[in-house]
Amino acid sequence: MAKDAPPRWDRGMQQRLVRGEAAALGELYDRFASLVHSQAHRMLDDEDAADLVTREVFAQVWENPEAYDPQQGSMRSWVARLTHRHAVQRLRRAATASYAEEHGEGGAPDPEELERRVRSATSAARADFIVSSMPASLRQALELAYIQRRDYRQTAADLGVTEDEARRRLRLGLQLLSTAGTRPLDGPPPPAPGRAR
């Protein structure tokens, strides 16, 4: 996954986009398309919808590059926020269309249920992003413990680390995952409170 670029790169990219440099859009696409597509796919669970969101996001960037404010964060964060916004809009439209198909025209889905679905999709996308972004040592410990159902002793043996180190890795991984429902999906997870070996 692409890391945040230096602020100078962000400002330079914005200036190139404002001038209408097609090569700049290509460079931005190469750098962030996988982030946009995977985030949209995580939220919508639909390949075609993720493709559409990807096109919409880059079209918006191309048509309105001056909307990016470097004072508000990195270009990567801005693109991630645009992706989240477009995916939520598509999720809401899909829910409304599905409701109309089931109940006929003139009604609307329950707003609370719709918001619950949006929050759930956002949290799931955030959790997936956190897991894919965390250090491999933490991810491996979580996979052994929660997917392969190993206890911390077995996890330690499988990883070739001490039991204390296995517990530490599991605790740090779970601390990172616990932020999935509490932070916006606009950038990397918070740094781990310590470094895994």
Side-chain angles (χ1 to χ4, degrees):
M1 217 169 260
K3 300 289 185 213
D4 278 347
R8 184 175 35 178
W9 184 90
D10 291 343
R11 285 189 299 276
M13 176 57 69
Q14 181 188 33
Q15 291 166 356
R16 291 173 62 201
L17 289 167
V18 167
R19 287 191 302 261
E21 288 184 33
L25 182 63
E27 186 179 326
L28 191 76
Y29 183 88
D30 290 345
R31 187 178 205 120
F32 296 126
S34 65
L35 167 73
V36 171
H37 190 273
S38 64
Q39 181 180 333
H41 192 271
R42 287 180 198 120
M43 290 189 69
L44 301 170
D45 195 27
D46 180 329
E47 189 71 27
D48 293 335
D51 290 344
L52 287 170
V53 166
T54 302
R55 286 195 296 270
E56 291 169 356
V57 166
F58 285 99
Q60 182 175 351
V61 168
W62 179 248
E63 293 167 5
N64 198 11
E66 52 283 326
Y68 168 62
D69 180 0
Q71 300 297 320
Q72 299 296 314
S74 69
M75 178 78 69
R76 180 177 189 264
S77 293
W78 179 60
V79 168
R81 282 191 303 275
L82 291 175
T83 304
H84 183 260
R85 189 174 311 130
H86 281 273
V88 166
Q89 289 169 351
R90 187 159 293 280
L91 188 64
R92 289 182 181 179
R93 283 193 304 265
T96 301
S98 175
Y99 183 89
E101 190 175 293
E102 290 177 18
H103 300 95
E105 298 296 324
D110 176 26
E112 289 179 17
E113 173 62 18
L114 184 54
E115 287 308 308
R116 186 198 62 73
R117 288 174 67 184
V118 167
R119 283 192 306 274
S120 176
T122 300
S123 293
R126 179 85 184 135
D128 198 31
F129 182 80
I130 289 169
V131 168
S132 67
S133 300
M134 70 176 47
S137 59
L138 300 182
R139 188 172 49 252
Q140 290 168 340
L142 288 174
E143 287 172 357
L144 287 168
Y146 294 98
I147 294 174
Q148 297 181 25
R149 303 284 189 194
R150 305 270 203 282
D151 66 22
Y152 75 92
R153 288 183 181 98
Q154 294 167 322
T155 298
D158 288 351
L159 294 175
V161 297
T162 66
E163 292 177 4
D164 285 342
E165 177 62 15
R167 280 195 299 265
R168 187 182 75 76
R169 290 181 186 186
L170 290 169
R171 184 176 60 254
L172 290 174
L174 291 173
Q175 286 173 341
L176 287 171
L177 276 175
S178 71
T179 66
T182 59
R183 290 177 37 89
L185 186 65
D186 65 355
R195 243 171 82 158
R197 288 178 261 178

